[in-house]
Amino acid sequence: MLKAVLFDLDGTLADTDPLHLLAWREVLAPYGLKVDPAFYRERISGRLNPEIVRDLLGLEGKEAERLIAAKEARFRALAQGLRPTPGLPEFLERIREKGLLWGVVTNAPKENARHVLEALGLRPPLLVLAEEVGRGKPDPLPYQLALRRLGVAPEEALAFEDSPSGVRSAVGAGIPTYALLTGHKEEALLEAGAWGVLQDFRKAMELL
């Protein structure tokens, strides 16, 4: 029996990927890197910031921290007037009506997560941040921790993601997972283990 619904944040609750792409494009340009949508999907989306800058630039320590801080500050400046993914408000209302638990599991830094949630007017009862867990997606630990905090078994939960990395994390925790087509191709999401794909949350009602 379904008891809880878990959501990724970026690209799932709101289509923030174009803003992240633009912010990364701006901060990486001085290093001679050109960030187009394909580069973003393949090298950036769904990964933790320290991994991204280490992989792309070989940066660690203070220099990496400065670059990451600049990127995230730029993202927050761009992320004004955010709108929820179509169907999300109605879907959350149905979740409340059914008395289901819900929460957000994200690789986003704390300040970004709070900024986006506040912009969307959302206050999830549970917020699991990969940076506080110690391991981020695609590792299943963030979702495993969410399940423990909610006191539900994997088969009693449902997860929504938008990246192969996020899908692998949720599926790795044993959670039936559906993926939104906001940034990645259907084939990649299904290959990662998604049970199905959705354009937005308007069709998600049928899963409850």
Side-chain angles (χ1 to χ4, degrees):
M1 187 176 82
L2 183 63
K3 294 182 179 179
V5 182
L6 296 169
F7 299 91
D8 173 49
L9 181 61
D10 286 303
T12 300
L13 297 185
D15 187 11
T16 53
D17 278 351
L19 304 179
H20 282 291
L21 187 156
L22 181 56
W24 278 115
R25 177 181 293 164
E26 292 182 7
V27 300
L28 292 177
Y31 295 88
L33 292 177
K34 296 182 179 179
V35 181
D36 60 16
F39 185 97
Y40 179 81
R41 285 195 303 270
E42 295 164 11
R43 305 291 299 276
I44 295 176
S45 178
R47 303 179 69 192
L48 290 171
N49 284 337
E51 296 173 358
I52 295 169
V53 297
R54 185 168 57 246
D55 175 39
L56 297 181
L57 303 171
L59 297 182
E60 294 183 297
K62 294 296 183 182
E63 190 174 0
E65 291 173 9
R66 284 194 293 270
L67 179 64
I68 290 167
K71 181 268 164 178
E72 298 306 352
R74 182 59 179 145
F75 166 76
R76 290 190 295 273
L78 293 168
Q80 307 298 323
L82 290 178
R83 295 289 181 269
T85 300
L88 177 64
E90 295 81 3
F91 189 53
L92 288 174
E93 182 59 32
R94 181 68 61 85
I95 287 171
R96 295 186 189 101
E97 288 173 356
K98 287 182 169 288
L100 301 175
L101 303 169
W102 72 282
V104 173
V105 181
T106 179
N107 273 359
K110 181 188 295 185
E111 196 169 352
N112 277 20
R114 289 178 173 172
H115 177 90
V116 172
L117 290 169
E118 183 176 337
L120 296 174
L122 298 177
R123 293 187 177 182
L126 172 73
L127 175 61
V128 175
L129 301 165
E131 65 181 24
E132 296 179 345
V133 173
R135 296 204 296 272
K137 306 171 189 178
D139 194 288
L141 184 59
Y143 275 102
Q144 291 170 338
L145 180 59
L147 292 172
R148 287 200 296 271
R149 288 182 177 174
L150 292 177
V152 300
E155 63 273 14
E156 296 173 327
L158 193 61
F160 291 91
E161 277 283 352
D162 75 301
S163 71
S165 172
V167 170
R168 291 189 186 97
S169 176
V171 170
I175 305 171
T177 304
Y178 288 82
L180 276 73
L181 296 169
T182 50
H184 291 266
K185 295 182 179 179
E186 178 177 354
E187 295 79 7
L189 296 165
L190 293 175
E191 184 179 339
W195 284 35
V197 296
L198 302 167
Q199 290 292 339
D200 53 42
F201 286 105
R202 286 174 287 195
K203 288 287 187 179
M205 295 286 194
E206 302 169 4
L207 301 175
L208 297 185

